[in-house]
Amino acid sequence: MRFAVAIVSPPNFQHSRAFDEVAEGLHHALLALGHDSVLTDRLDLDERRTIVLGGNILIRRSMKPPKNPIFYNLEQLGEDLPSATLPAFYDLFRRYPTWDYSQANIEYLAGLGLPRPIHVPIGYVPELTRITPAPEDIDVLFYGAPYERRYAVLKDLHDRGLRVKWLSGVYGASRDAWIARSKIVLNMHYWDAKIFEIARVSYLLANKRAVVSERGDDPALEHELKSGVAFADYDDLVDRCVELLADERARRELAEQGYQLFSARDQVAIVDRALSASVDGLTDETAAVDVSGIELPLEADGRDNSVDQQRRERELFRHKFVPDRDRWLAEVERDPTDARSVFFLAETCFQLEDFIAARRWYARRIELGGDEEEIYWAMYRLAAAMQELGEPWPDVEDAYLAASVFRPTRAEALHAIAAEYRKQQSYRLGYTFAQRAAAIPFPDEDLFVLGYFAEVYTWRALDEQAVCASWTGRHAEAFTLGRRLLARTDLPDSDRQRIAANRDFAVPAMLDAATPYPDALVPTLTANPGHGAVTVTLIAGPDRDIVEQTLNSFLNCCLDSSRIGRFLVLDTGLSTEDRAHLRKRYGFLTLIRDRSGGRSGAQLAQLRAQINGRLWLHLGQGWRFFAPENYLTRLTAVLDADPRVFQVGINLGDAATLTGTSAAEQAIHRAADTGRYILTNVMARGPAMYDTARLDRVLRGKITNADPATGPRTASLDEVLCIAGPQP
C-alpha cells in the first residue's frame, strides 16, 4: 500500500516538530513492512493513505483534512486540553479511522461515548538511535513549554548549584546537541491528565539517555519502564536528580536499561498489528470519508498570519490559566510575602492579558526582593504590561531601561526598546538599542530564557539591527547582517522570506560597491596564471562595458579568486579596439573567437573543448555580482558532497533578477563548506559550476537513470547572489 506519514504543520507553527521522531518511527516501520511511505507535511496526497499526526492542530488552525486519513492522536486527553473546547476535535474520533498511543486516552474517549481508537503504542526503530555522544557538561536538561510547576523544580535545581538548561521551542539537531551534553534529561507534566510523555521520552531512551520523570496517572506504562526510567513524585524530583548525579554508575545503568526496555518495543510489529486491526478501513479502494459535517471553528484555508489567529490560540488556553490564576491569588492572599506565588500570579495574569493586574503583581514582586533573575523578569514584564496598557512611551522606556540596568547581561528590554523605535520610524535610536541588544551573549547561567525571548539572543536583535541599519544608510552592514541571518537553521520561514526581501533593499548599494576595477587583485591573477583548479568562463560582446561589469563585480565579490586557474572569454562580437583594451586591462584573460553561429549550446560546447580540469565555472553573459562570497569553495563543496550533482547554479531558482526570497529550511542540504543549498531537476541557464566529467557523462547519455533519488542531479545555492542586466 501507499502511505503518507504527515505532520500537520501550519505556517509559523514550529511546535509541530515535536511529532518528528514518532513520524519517523512510523515511516521506517511502514518501509520495513514493504509499503511505499513518504514523510511529509502535505495533506493533499490523495493517492496515498495519510497517517496524520497533529489532528488537534488541524482543527485549531482550520486546515482541510486529507481524503483518506488515519488520525494518530498523540495528545493527552483531558478537560484542560485546549482542543477539548472545540467540538470539531472530538468529531475526528467519530468520523475517521483513529489510532491512539495511550490506553488511558482510549478509556477517556470511551467514557465520553466516543469510539475506541486502535491502540498503537510508540515503539522503537533503529534509525532513531542517532545522537552522537558528547562531553556531558549539563547536569539537568528539560525541554518543554513554560509552566510554573516546571519552573519551581528547575529553579530549585538551579539554586542547588547545578547546571540546568531549559529549552522551549527547540527541535531537531539543535535539541539533540543539548541532549548529548546532558547527564540527566528531566520529564515533567503540563496537562492535568498526567499521562506519561512517552512521545518525548521514547527518543531519549532510544539514544541511551538517563531520564528522570515525574510519576503520573499512567501506571501501566510506568510499570513497564520502571527499571529504565527514574520515576519520582513531583516533590521528590529534585532529590532524585541530585541522587543520580552523585552516582555515575547508577546513571549509566539506568540509561542502558531504558534503552534495552524501549528497543524491545518493536515499532514494525506494532504498526503491522495496527494495520491488521484496521484492515476493513485500509484498502486502497476505500472511498474518502465525508467531511462535510465537521464544523471548523475558523476559515478553512489554514492561514496563520494574523493577530486574530494568535489571540484565538491564546483564548484556547484561557480555561487552563483562569484556575491557575485563582489558585495563585488564594496563595498570595494567604501569605502576601510569598514571592514565588506573587511571581506566578503576575505571570498568569499576563498570559490572560489582564495587564492591569499583571502590572500590580509584577510591581509587588519587585518590592519583595530576593532572586535577581525573577526581579529582572518582573521589571521587564512590568514595562511590557505598561506598554500594552498604552502608558506614555517615555515612562515605558524608563521602565525597560531600569530592567536593563538592573541586569545588564539580559537583552530583552533593549530589544523591546529597539522594536518600538523602529515602529515609530525613529531608526537611528532603534539601531542604537538593537546594536546594544545584539552584542549581549546568551545568558547561559540564567534559567528563564525561553521561546521567543531566547530568539532575541540568537537572531531577533540582529534582525532589528539589520532593518534599522538599512533605513539609516548602513547598506553594507544591513546586507551582511541579512545574509548572516539567512544562513541560520532556526528562522521561521515567514521571517526568512521577510529578511531576504529586506536584504535585497541593500543590493543597489552593494552593486555600486562591486563595480570598481579591482586594481589590487588583477596583478596577482596576471602574475600567477594556471595555479588554481577552477576554469572560469564568460561570454563577451558586443558591449565592452557589460563585460567589465561582470569581470569587476565577480572579482570584487569572489573572496577565493586564488583558486582560479584560467579565465576564458568567448568573444561574440567585440571590436578590435575593445579586445585590445580588455587584454591590456585584464592581463589574465584568454580570449577565443566564437565559432558557434550564436547558438548557446554550441557556445558552451566550444568553451567545454578548451577546459582540461574537473571544475568549470561559467558566468554566462551580462551578469553583475553583488554578494561577497567564497563562490569557488562553496560550489566545489556542493559537487564534492553529492556525486550525483553535475551542475550547481549560483542563483536560487536560476533567477535573473532579485526575488526577495531564500530557500525554505526544509528544502535545504548542508555539508562542509557548502553553506545552504538545494537539489533541483532543472539545468541552470545563469552562472553555474560544472563537474566536467559528470557533465560529459550526462551529455553522452551514459547516465539514463531519471530517478531523482539515484540519477544525475543539479543543485543551486540558497539565494539570489547576482543579477542580469542593469541595476535594479
Side-chain angles (χ1 to χ4, degrees), residues 573-589:
L574 291 169
S575 67
T576 301
E577 180 182 353
D578 287 343
R579 285 169 61 87
H581 173 86
L582 291 173
R583 282 198 177 98
K584 181 178 180 180
R585 200 168 197 213
Y586 305 93
F588 54 86
L589 294 181

Side-chain angles (χ1 to χ4, degrees), residues 245-552:
L245 288 168
D247 191 340
E248 182 176 357
R249 180 177 177 181
R251 199 168 66 246
R252 301 295 181 197
E253 289 176 352
L254 178 71
E256 180 62 32
Q257 184 63 18
Y259 172 76
Q260 295 298 332
L261 287 171
F262 181 66
S263 61
R265 295 163 58 97
D266 183 1
Q267 187 76 81
V268 176
I270 291 169
V271 171
D272 193 25
R273 288 194 299 270
L275 294 179
S276 298
S278 310
V279 68
D280 291 340
L282 287 176
T283 59
D284 283 325
E285 293 79 15
T286 301
V289 177
D290 177 18
V291 301
S292 59
I294 291 190
E295 304 244 347
L296 299 178
L298 309 174
E299 64 276 6
D301 60 4
R303 288 176 297 181
D304 182 31
N305 55 3
S306 69
V307 172
D308 287 343
Q309 175 64 65
Q310 296 170 25
R311 290 189 179 278
R312 289 187 185 104
E313 278 289 302
R314 286 197 294 270
E315 191 64 26
L316 286 174
F317 283 83
R318 185 175 183 83
H319 71 291
K320 183 172 181 64
F321 289 137
V322 168
D324 290 343
R325 177 200 60 194
D326 296 342
R327 176 163 54 91
W328 293 118
L329 182 58
E331 290 291 326
V332 171
E333 289 173 345
R334 184 181 61 81
D335 181 2
T337 65
D338 183 352
R340 184 67 57 82
S341 294
V342 171
F343 183 64
F344 290 158
L345 175 58
E347 278 290 292
T348 309
C349 290
F350 196 94
Q351 294 292 338
L352 287 168
E353 299 183 324
D354 183 355
F355 298 116
I356 294 175
R359 189 190 195 289
R360 172 192 174 191
W361 294 116
Y362 282 127
R364 175 61 178 155
R365 176 63 191 89
I366 296 166
E367 291 173 2
L368 290 172
D371 184 87
E372 289 189 359
E373 188 180 349
E374 283 187 13
I375 295 173
Y376 163 76
W377 191 252
M379 295 175 75
Y380 167 73
R381 288 287 224 188
L382 172 64
M386 293 170 62
Q387 190 172 13
E388 291 284 354
L389 292 168
E391 296 189 28
W393 171 245
D395 295 340
V396 174
E397 183 180 24
D398 285 347
Y400 277 129
L401 287 172
S404 179
V405 169
F406 179 81
R407 201 164 182 83
T409 57
R410 296 292 291 260
E412 296 90 348
L414 296 175
H415 172 261
I417 296 172
E420 179 59 30
Y421 275 126
R422 187 249 309 155
K423 292 174 186 175
Q424 294 178 12
Q425 299 183 9
S426 298
Y427 297 113
R428 295 192 182 280
L429 284 169
Y431 176 86
T432 298
F433 284 103
Q435 186 183 44
R436 287 175 58 191
I440 297 175
F442 192 96
D444 280 324
E445 300 306 315
D446 285 7
L447 181 62
F448 206 66
V449 193
L450 301 174
Y452 174 91
F453 303 102
E455 293 172 354
V456 168
Y457 299 89
T458 55
W459 65 270
R460 290 192 182 275
L462 279 176
D463 184 20
E464 290 289 349
Q465 182 180 345
V467 171
C468 292
S470 180
W471 283 105
T472 54
R474 299 174 172 90
H475 298 298
E477 180 181 349
F479 185 84
T480 300
L481 290 175
R483 294 200 70 213
R484 177 176 164 188
L485 290 164
L486 293 171
R488 299 189 61 87
T489 63
D490 53 358
L491 286 182
D493 276 336
S494 60
D495 288 291
R496 180 176 297 283
Q497 303 316 321
R498 173 185 56 78
I499 290 168
N502 288 344
R503 184 213 70 152
D504 283 356
F505 279 117
V507 168
M510 299 305 295
L511 283 166
D512 288 343
T515 297
Y517 175 73
D519 49 6
L521 179 60
V522 168
T524 302
L525 291 172
T526 303
N528 298 287
H531 288 188
V534 180
T535 299
V536 179
T537 64
L538 65 93
I539 296 173
D543 190 325
R544 187 189 77 195
D545 289 340
I546 292 176
V547 179
E548 293 199 70
Q549 286 178 357
T550 299
L551 286 169
N552 293 349

Side-chain angles (χ1 to χ4, degrees), residues 14-15 138 140-147 150 154 164-182 185-186 188 200 204 442 444 446-452 454 458:
Q14 63 174 333
H15 302 301
I138 304 296
V140 180
L141 170 69
F142 175 78
Y143 50 92
Y147 195 35
R150 292 172 163 179
L154 296 171
V164 180
K165 185 66 180 179
W166 186 358
L167 305 176
S168 180
V170 180
Y171 303 98
S174 297
R175 176 211 53 196
D176 289 359
W178 286 107
I179 292 173
R181 294 172 54 188
S182 301
V185 184
L186 180 59
M188 288 184 285
R200 174 183 305 175
L204 300 170
F442 192 96
D444 280 324
D446 285 7
L447 181 62
F448 206 66
V449 193
L450 301 174
Y452 174 91
T458 55

